[in-house]
Amino acid sequence: MSDQLKVVSLDVDGTLVTPDFTDAVWYEGLPGLLAERDHIPYEQARAYVDAEYRAVGDHRLEWYDIAWWFERFGLKDHRRMMAGFRPRIALYPEVEEVLGVLSRRYTLVVGSASTREF
C-alpha cells in the first residue's frame, strides 16, 4: 500500500469560510431580536444570550441548533434572521486558488459540523 497522501479533508467554518456570518447570527442577530422584542439595550440582550450559551455549553448538540435557541428564547423565524446576514458569508481570499491547486493532486472532501441551516 502506498504511503502517499490521496485525500485532503477541509472544514468549511473557519478554514474555507470566514466566521463573520456565523458570528453575526449568534452574537448580533439573536441578541438583536431579543433586544428589540424586550425593549432592552442590545448590550443587555447580548450579555443574557452569552450567559445562556455558557449555561448550555458546547458539549450539547442543542448548542449548535439555531432553531432550538429560537424556541428557547421564544423567537420566531430563524431563517429570515439568518437570510439578513447572507451578505456576510465570505471565503477567505486564498481559498479558490488553494482549492484549485490541491484539486489537481488530491481528492478533496469538504465537511462541516454546522447544522444544515448554516
Side-chain angles (χ1 to χ4, degrees):
M1 185 187 308
S2 171
D3 289 338
Q4 185 177 18
L5 183 66
K6 295 177 182 165
V7 176
V8 174
S9 176
L10 302 156
D11 184 26
V12 173
D13 292 326
T15 303
L16 303 176
V17 177
T18 69
D20 193 44
F21 172 74
T22 54
D23 287 353
V25 167
W26 293 114
Y27 299 109
E28 293 176 37
L30 208 151
L33 290 174
L34 281 177
E36 184 179 317
R37 184 196 67 195
D38 296 345
H39 307 287
I40 59 175
Y42 168 80
E43 294 78 16
Q44 183 180 345
R46 170 73 191 263
Y48 171 68
V49 168
D50 286 346
E52 290 296 304
Y53 290 164
R54 284 191 306 277
V56 170
D58 64 356
H59 291 95
R60 288 180 47 192
L61 290 177
E62 293 89 349
W63 167 274
Y64 305 95
D65 185 350
I66 190 71
W68 186 84
W69 285 104
F70 263 62
E71 185 176 322
R72 181 178 176 104
F73 292 128
L75 297 170
K76 294 183 170 108
D77 205 2
H78 67 276
R79 287 180 181 90
R80 183 174 183 208
M81 184 269 295
M82 292 176 76
F85 290 108
R86 275 192 193 133
R88 298 191 43 193
I89 298 172
L91 295 175
Y92 284 105
E94 64 279 2
V95 165
E96 290 185 48
E97 180 182 352
V98 169
L99 291 180
V101 170
L102 289 174
S103 68
R104 288 190 285 264
R105 186 168 179 190
Y106 306 104
T107 299
L108 301 180
V109 176
V110 177
S112 177
S114 293
T115 59
R116 195 171 286 273
E117 288 95 347
F118 282 87

